[in-house]
Amino acid sequence: MQRTLVIGLGTMGSVHTKAFYEMPDAELVGVVDRNLEKRQQFSERYETNEYETFQEALTKLNERIDVVSICLPTDEHPEYVKQAADAGIHVICEKPIARTPELARELIDYCKEKKVQLFVGHVVRFFQEYVEAKQVIDSGAIGKINVVRTRRGGAFPQVPSDWYSDYSRSGGLVLDTIIHDFDFLRWCFGNVTRVYAKSIAGAKGVNEKKRDYASVTLRFASGVIAHVEGTWAHRQFSTAFEFSGTDGVIDYDSQKQKAVITEIHQTEGSGAGVAVPESPLQLSPYDRELRHFISCIETGSEPVVTAEDAYEAVVISHAALASIADGEVVEITAEGVKSS
């Protein structure tokens, strides 16, 4: 049984709190938020303790915390990850792990030094549509994949503090939203070597109308080319992907269908392609992710998404941001990111 504390009661903090409250292998020992009314509401609803600060929770719970979930704005992650590590508490941190690759590396090394585990919430790896697509890719059913297209986004995120509109804090659309696709595609195809990107907001990250639309082209060491689109310019959130292989296509669009369609090219005269629907799940992807992280702590097993994976996703995101800023192709090498 892992005793859990949630810091930050915004959208993701709400998800984490509910998940831990209902989880058989976790005990929700408290919630932390600066807003008194909000934390009291959560305390009553989920029958737990409420605290204004992390330090207050540490003092009053007296070492009764095994895991802390950090659900705060991106720029606040380093402070709280280090505080938890100093207290010997395992960390679940919402993505992105940090605002820059340098900070991300620092946090990973810090947690290793303090001998605590660090998990990062790249939840797309737990969405059934994406899990199913990777299984088909790995099976070789659609042959060698050469071209990929993904899309993700909707309206500009609205939160009381409006921190998303501060590019120095959030990293904008690229670092906050389509980093999900960067991580998923790297999971499928390995390391990225070249990045070229354009966006509406340009180097400022967020324009005056709080809208952005970005297009990022990734070249992988494996030879795959991926076209990644992200938007904060539409009203409704949606995701989509298409994987084109030599023997078939995997296609999904949340606005058009509720199943992943796999079309296998048949020999002439053998009939149409085969549609493979997804299976409905009782648990949400967020529940599955958090239960997986808790299981990894209990068993010492390797997580589906590692802290190193989270670091690489930030590296790809920053390569895209650098390309948007200077209009050049950016190369990712073992030595780091550089413009061509």
Side-chain angles (χ1 to χ4, degrees), residues 207-227:
N207 68 14
E208 293 78 8
K209 296 182 179 180
K210 295 185 179 179
R211 291 182 185 145
D212 198 6
Y213 190 98
S215 176
V216 184
T217 301
L218 307 176
R219 177 184 287 276
F220 292 81
S222 60
V224 173
I225 298 292
H227 303 285

Side-chain angles (χ1 to χ4, degrees), residues 15 126 281-289:
V15 171
F126 296 87
L281 298 174
Q282 288 184 326
L283 294 174
S284 79
Y286 301 96
D287 287 312
R288 293 173 64 207
E289 173 192 60

